[in-house]
Amino acid sequence: MADKELNLFDPVHVDLDGNNLVEASAGTGKTYNITALYIRLIIEKNLSPEEILVVTFTKAATRELRERIGKRIAEAITAFQKVDDPGEDEFLNRLIQNNSDPKVRAEAIEKLRKTQESIDRAAIYTIHSFCQVAMTEYVFESGSMFDAQFEQNDNETLTLAADDYWRKLMNR
C-alpha cells in the first residue's frame, strides 16, 4: 500500500482567494492558523475586521479567537517594527521576509494598527450567532420575516417534522 502524501497547512503560502476551512482535532493549531490567516488578510488583501468572517462552534471558542486575534495583531505590529530583531515567531519572520520592502512594512503596520482600533467590530461568531446576524441583516435577501428568531433548541421542530414524515409514510 502506498503511503499517502502528507500536506501540511502553511499559513504563509495558502491561497487567500475564496474560502479557507481550518478543521482539525483539538490541540493541532487551528487557532494559530486562523490568526495567521487573519493577519495575512489584513496585510495582503487590505480587509477590515468586518470583512473577515470567522465562525466557530462555541461561545468560549469565539471569545478565545477574539482574544488571540487581538494579541496576534499586537505581536505582528511589534515584529514589523523590529525588523532587525523580530523575535522567534516563525510565521511572523516568514511574513516579514515576504514583505521586506520598507514601504510595504510601513503599510502593513498602518493596516494592523487600523485593525487594532476597530477589532471590536470583528465578524467572529458562533454558528448560531452568525445565522441570527445573517437573518437580521439580510432580511430582504433571505425572504425571512423581520422578527424571525433562530432557535437553539430545535427538539420541538424536529419532533413535528418527524411526526409529519411518519404520517405521510403511513398514509401511503
Side-chain angles (χ1 to χ4, degrees), residues 77-146:
I77 291 170
T78 300
F80 270 90
Q81 289 172 330
K82 298 179 179 180
V83 174
D84 296 331
D85 183 24
E88 297 182 22
D89 188 305
E90 180 185 346
F91 165 74
L92 290 176
N93 288 336
R94 290 171 60 204
L95 190 62
I96 290 168
Q97 287 174 351
N98 291 349
N99 296 279
S100 60
D101 179 86
K103 182 180 178 190
V104 173
R105 281 196 326 265
E107 290 171 356
I109 292 168
E110 183 60 29
K111 291 173 186 178
L112 290 165
R113 282 190 175 140
K114 282 183 180 177
T115 300
Q116 200 173 36
E117 293 169 3
S118 61
I119 196 68
D120 59 326
R121 294 192 310 259
I124 304 170
Y125 302 110
T126 62
I127 294 168
H128 290 95
S129 62
F130 171 71
C131 290
Q132 185 67 50
V133 167
M135 285 174 45
T136 304
E137 290 187 13
Y138 300 100
V139 69
F140 294 114
E141 292 88 343
S142 69
S144 62
M145 301 175 69
F146 284 102

Side-chain angles (χ1 to χ4, degrees), residues 19-77:
N19 299 316
N20 281 294
L21 171 65
V22 178
E23 180 181 33
S25 301
T28 57
K30 290 182 300 293
T31 302
Y32 175 87
N33 286 312
I34 290 169
T35 59
L37 290 173
Y38 205 94
I39 298 296
R40 283 192 56 214
L41 287 167
I42 293 164
I43 294 171
E44 297 172 28
K45 296 294 186 178
N46 200 28
L47 295 179
S48 68
E50 302 93 342
E51 297 172 306
I52 305 169
L53 175 62
V54 179
V55 179
T56 188
F57 289 102
T58 66
K59 290 178 183 178
T62 301
R63 276 191 303 276
E64 180 184 2
L65 273 168
R66 280 188 183 281
E67 291 170 8
R68 296 275 291 276
I69 288 171
K71 181 180 177 189
R72 199 70 168 134
I73 291 168
E75 291 169 353
I77 291 170

Side-chain angles (χ1 to χ4, degrees), residues 3-16:
D3 289 332
K4 273 189 165 179
E5 183 179 329
L6 181 63
N7 293 319
L8 297 177
F9 186 80
D10 182 1
V12 176
H13 293 107
V14 69
D15 188 11
L16 294 179

